Coordinates of all heavy atoms in Angstrom, one line a residue:
T721 N -6.2 12.7 5.2 CA -5.6 14.0 4.7 C -5.4 15.0 5.9 O -4.4 15.7 5.8 CB -6.6 14.6 3.7 OG1 -7.9 14.7 4.2 CG2 -6.7 13.7 2.4
R722 N -6.3 15.0 6.8 CA -6.2 15.9 8.0 C -4.8 15.6 8.7 O -4.2 16.5 9.2 CB -7.3 15.6 8.9 CG -7.9 16.9 9.6 CD -9.1 16.6 10.5 NE -9.9 15.5 10.2 CZ -10.0 14.3 10.9 NH1 -9.4 14.2 12.0 NH2 -10.8 13.4 10.5
V724 N -2.1 14.3 7.5 CA -1.0 14.7 6.6 C -0.9 16.2 6.7 O 0.3 16.8 6.9 CB -1.3 14.4 5.1 CG1 -0.3 15.1 4.2 CG2 -1.3 12.9 4.9
D725 N -2.0 17.0 6.8 CA -1.9 18.4 6.9 C -1.3 18.8 8.2 O -0.4 19.8 8.3 CB -3.3 19.1 6.8 CG -3.9 18.9 5.4 OD1 -3.1 18.6 4.5 OD2 -5.1 19.1 5.2
S726 N -1.6 18.1 9.3 CA -1.0 18.5 10.6 C 0.4 18.1 10.7 O 1.2 18.9 11.2 CB -1.9 17.9 11.7 OG -1.4 16.7 12.2
L727 N 0.8 17.0 10.1 CA 2.3 16.7 10.1 C 3.1 17.7 9.3 O 4.2 18.1 9.6 CB 2.5 15.3 9.5 CG 2.0 14.1 10.3 CD1 2.0 12.8 9.5 CD2 2.8 13.9 11.6
T728 N 2.5 18.1 8.1 CA 3.2 19.1 7.3 C 3.4 20.4 8.0 O 4.4 21.0 8.0 CB 2.3 19.3 6.0 OG1 2.1 18.1 5.4 CG2 3.1 20.2 5.0
Q729 N 2.3 20.8 8.8 CA 2.4 22.0 9.6 C 3.5 21.9 10.7 O 4.2 22.9 10.9 CB 1.0 22.3 10.2 CG 0.9 23.7 10.8 CD 1.3 24.8 9.7 OE1 0.8 24.8 8.6 NE2 2.1 25.8 10.1
R732 N 6.7 22.6 9.1 CA 6.8 24.1 8.8 C 7.1 24.9 10.1 O 7.8 25.8 10.0 CB 5.5 24.6 8.1 CG 5.4 24.1 6.7 CD 4.4 25.0 5.9 NE 4.3 24.5 4.5 CZ 3.2 23.9 4.0 NH1 2.1 23.9 4.7 NH2 3.3 23.5 2.7
A756 N 3.2 11.7 1.3 CA 2.3 12.8 1.2 C 2.9 14.1 1.9 O 2.7 15.2 1.3 CB 1.0 12.4 2.0
V757 N 3.6 14.0 3.0 CA 4.2 15.1 3.6 C 5.3 15.7 2.7 O 5.3 17.0 2.5 CB 4.8 14.8 5.0 CG1 5.7 15.9 5.5 CG2 3.7 14.5 6.0
L759 N 5.2 15.8 -0.5 CA 4.5 16.5 -1.5 C 3.9 17.8 -1.0 O 3.9 18.9 -1.7 CB 3.4 15.6 -2.1 CG 3.7 14.4 -3.0 CD1 2.6 13.5 -3.1 CD2 4.2 14.9 -4.3
M760 N 3.3 17.7 0.2 CA 2.6 18.9 0.7 C 3.5 20.0 1.2 O 3.1 21.2 1.3 CB 1.6 18.5 1.8 CG 0.5 17.6 1.3 SD -0.3 18.1 -0.2 CE -0.9 19.7 0.3
L761 N 4.8 19.7 1.4 CA 5.7 20.8 1.8 C 6.0 21.7 0.6 O 6.3 22.9 0.9 CB 7.0 20.1 2.3 CG 7.0 19.5 3.7 CD1 8.2 18.7 4.0 CD2 6.9 20.7 4.7
T762 N 5.8 21.3 -0.6 CA 6.1 22.1 -1.7 C 4.8 22.5 -2.5 O 4.9 23.1 -3.6 CB 7.1 21.4 -2.7 OG1 6.5 20.1 -3.0 CG2 8.4 21.2 -2.1
N763 N 3.7 22.0 -2.1 CA 2.4 22.3 -2.8 C 1.4 23.0 -1.8 O 1.2 22.4 -0.7 CB 1.8 21.1 -3.4 CG 2.7 20.6 -4.6 OD1 2.5 21.1 -5.8 ND2 3.6 19.7 -4.4
P764 N 0.8 24.1 -2.2 CA -0.1 24.8 -1.3 C -1.4 24.1 -1.0 O -1.8 23.3 -1.8 CB -0.3 26.2 -2.0 CG -0.1 25.8 -3.4 CD 0.9 24.8 -3.5
G765 N -2.0 24.4 0.1 CA -3.4 23.9 0.4 C -3.3 22.6 1.2 O -2.4 22.3 1.9
S766 N -4.4 21.9 1.1 CA -4.6 20.7 1.9 C -4.4 19.4 1.0 O -4.6 19.5 -0.2 CB -6.0 20.6 2.4 OG -6.3 19.3 2.8
A767 N -3.9 18.4 1.6 CA -3.7 17.1 0.9 C -5.0 16.7 0.2 O -5.0 16.1 -0.9 CB -3.3 16.0 1.8
A768 N -6.1 17.1 0.8 CA -7.4 16.7 0.2 C -7.6 17.3 -1.2 O -8.3 16.8 -2.1 CB -8.6 17.1 1.1
D769 N -6.9 18.4 -1.5 CA -7.1 19.1 -2.8 C -6.4 18.3 -3.9 O -6.6 18.6 -5.1 CB -6.4 20.5 -2.8 CG -6.9 21.4 -1.7 OD1 -8.1 21.1 -1.2 OD2 -6.2 22.3 -1.2
Y770 N -5.6 17.4 -3.5 CA -4.8 16.7 -4.5 C -5.1 15.2 -4.7 O -4.4 14.4 -5.4 CB -3.3 16.8 -4.2 CG -2.8 18.2 -4.2 CD1 -2.7 19.0 -3.0 CD2 -2.5 18.9 -5.4 CE1 -2.3 20.3 -3.0 CE2 -2.0 20.2 -5.3 CZ -2.0 20.9 -4.1 OH -1.6 22.2 -4.1
Q771 N -6.2 14.8 -4.0 CA -6.6 13.4 -4.2 C -7.2 13.2 -5.6 O -8.2 13.8 -5.9 CB -7.7 13.0 -3.2 CG -7.2 12.9 -1.7 CD -8.4 12.6 -0.8 OE1 -9.1 13.5 -0.4 NE2 -8.6 11.3 -0.5
I776 N -0.8 17.3 -8.7 CA 0.3 17.9 -8.0 C 1.1 18.7 -9.1 O 1.4 18.2 -10.2 CB 1.2 16.8 -7.4 CG1 0.5 16.1 -6.2 CG2 2.6 17.3 -7.0 CD1 0.6 16.9 -4.9
N778 N 4.1 20.9 -8.2 CA 5.5 21.1 -7.8 C 6.2 19.8 -7.4 O 5.6 19.0 -6.6 CB 5.7 22.2 -6.8 CG 5.0 23.5 -7.2 OD1 5.1 23.9 -8.3 ND2 4.2 24.0 -6.2
I811 N -3.2 10.3 -3.8 CA -2.5 11.4 -4.6 C -1.6 10.6 -5.6 O -0.6 10.2 -5.2 CB -1.7 12.3 -3.7 CG1 -2.6 12.9 -2.6 CG2 -1.1 13.4 -4.5 CD1 -1.9 13.9 -1.7

Side-chain angles (χ1 to χ4, degrees):
T721 53
R722 217 178 331 113
V724 171
D725 293 344
S726 92
L727 290 169
T728 307
Q729 193 54 47
R732 290 201 176 113
V757 169
L759 288 165
M760 294 316 300
L761 282 168
T762 53
N763 288 274
S766 162
D769 303 337
Y770 299 95
Q771 287 180 279
I776 292 281
N778 305 316
I811 301 181

